[in-house]
Amino acid sequence: MMSLMARKQGSHSDITGPKVQAAALRLIAQNGFAAVSMRQIAAEVGVQAGALYNYTPDKQSLLLALLQAHMDELLNGWNDWDVPDAPEAALRSFVNFHITHHYDRQDSLFISYMELRNLTPENFKILEVQRREYESQLEGILTRGRDAGVFGLQDVRLGAMAIIPMLNGVSQWFRDDGRLSIEQICDQYWAFVKGVVNG
Amino acid sequence: MMSLMARKQGSHSDITGPKVQAAALRLIAQNGFAAVSMRQIAAEVGVQAGALYNYTPDKQSLLLALLQAHMDELLNGWNDWDVPDAPEAALRSFVNFHITHHYDRQDSLFISYMELRNLTPENFKILEVQRREYESQLEGILTRGRDAGVFGLQDVRLGAMAIIPMLNGVSQWFRDDGRLSIEQICDQYWAFVKGVVNG
DNA sequence: GTCTATAGTGTGATAGAC
DNA sequence: GTCTATCACACTATAGAC
């Protein structure tokens, strides 16, 4: 068994790998992809630059892995989320999910919008499909609510395009020691979203 | 008079200056500040890299100039905007201003959020003050409306923090040949904002 | 798996001719 | 005001010892 095997000195793949991702995420969110060097990431992890290439074929792939992990977690998280059938309850559930899911993923959310432009076109397309898939989850709720006569929303697509940036905005200013708890924020934003769909 | 003076060959300060700003803006929005080289900017302008240093002392100052110009135009634009007294009419006016002002400034708006992290701390502070000043224009309207009993908004600051990203979102997807005209978008977003403040 | 060393390229910024 | 040429340095990625 793994835990009984003697470990070779300097063999830390299982711990270094996640540390590389975490360091890259933090540094890229803070300074931007192009501004962060492999040496900086290595220094944060506590290895030399060359060692990073055991975990990524190149810098570009490292960014792609971060963005893909973010979208995968988002879609899987929503998939596992318990969503009521009734449109209004489902929308409330979406608001709660979106805010709480990104609560401790501020860096991920930030780079998932900011660093798309540093991807190759084909990688960009893959992520756009995933983002579109997430947006259409919200649009599905809005459509059902409108068809049921619960929401007064005219344009479902536009409503989704208004709601998502509004909710994303929370991650730009939220602090744990701030004036409002995450639950209070969810409550208030639910009121805002209700206003948007009932306009 | 200027227009009668003979021009020295190769003297194009008055035309090259704006071209440098425009090229830098476009390239930085597309690729990120750190990813754009002075040589790339020079190539886009049609000069050699060394010539750029007639227009900026260094690369960092070029970025600062772009971000400052954006905030100055925003604040001056709002200052010149004709705003009604009644809170609801004033809010509608703000929505119109914000969307139409950024209509042909998508690159500026984008880098004004993206590239703040590439500024020195003191330059960052200057821009934060300006941004805060703009936000408090909106908060002033919201406060007056709430005090007059026109808006049902509980938390003015939070309302402003929800409305601004929602409006900014337009610039991420708007295209001139899109489904909706800018006037239709203003109308729809006005309905959304009304919903937010009446929640 | 990590290290050291390095190849090869690109960078921001400056100096001096015109 | 623009050009050419260049300095000094940083970068990504690789090779080979351990």
Side-chain angles (χ1 to χ4, degrees), chain A residues 8 13 55 69 92 132 135 156 189:
Chain A
K8 270 179 269 181
S13 171
Y55 303 95
R92 158 102 230 201
R132 205 64 198 71
E135 288 170 0
V156 161
Y189 272 75

Side-chain angles (χ1 to χ4, degrees), chain A residues 50-64:
Chain A
L52 294 181
Y53 291 86
N54 290 312
Y55 303 95
T56 180
D58 51 37
K59 195 188 174 192
Q60 163 83 209
S61 303
L62 183 53
L63 175 62
L64 178 62

